[in-house]
Amino acid sequence: VALQVVVIRDVTIIDGAPATARRRQDVVVDGGRIVAARPTGGALPRDARIIDGRTRYLLPGFIDTHAHVAFGPVTLTKDGATPVMR
């Protein structure tokens, strides 16, 4: 199944580099990946799904890295000073 091209139109991007937010940007996502981020106003890919990003913020690469994951039975042991999950 082919993924649809998506454009997030006129969004503010906060990516940490540079330190200032980039306002009025169009972000093009193709195949589940960001392929372009450019000032709003240019030509858009044909048949793209358009998402209105006005008054919105985009933080590319921002993920939830907090998780509790365990495979199978887990025990907590103290091998020395640091508790260890086994």
Side-chain angles (χ1 to χ4, degrees):
V1 173
L3 296 176
Q4 183 179 26
V5 175
V6 175
V7 176
I8 305 169
R9 183 105 171 138
D10 201 5
V11 69
T12 299
I13 299 174
I14 300 174
D15 65 4
T20 58
R22 291 187 288 159
R23 290 172 170 54
R24 306 223 44 203
Q25 298 288 303
D26 288 346
V27 177
V28 181
V29 181
D30 188 359
R33 293 184 176 267
I34 295 173
V35 296
R38 56 186 181 232
T40 295
L44 300 177
R46 177 181 279 215
D47 299 326
R49 175 178 170 222
I50 308 299
I51 298 174
D52 184 1
R54 288 177 296 174
T55 73
R56 309 284 179 168
Y57 297 87
L58 181 69
L59 289 85
F62 189 73
I63 61 170
D64 179 5
T65 59
H66 178 93
H68 297 265
V69 180
F71 300 98
V74 175
T75 59
L76 189 59
T77 62
K78 275 199 131 179
D79 295 342
T82 305
V84 177
M85 288 180 89
R86 298 184 194 257

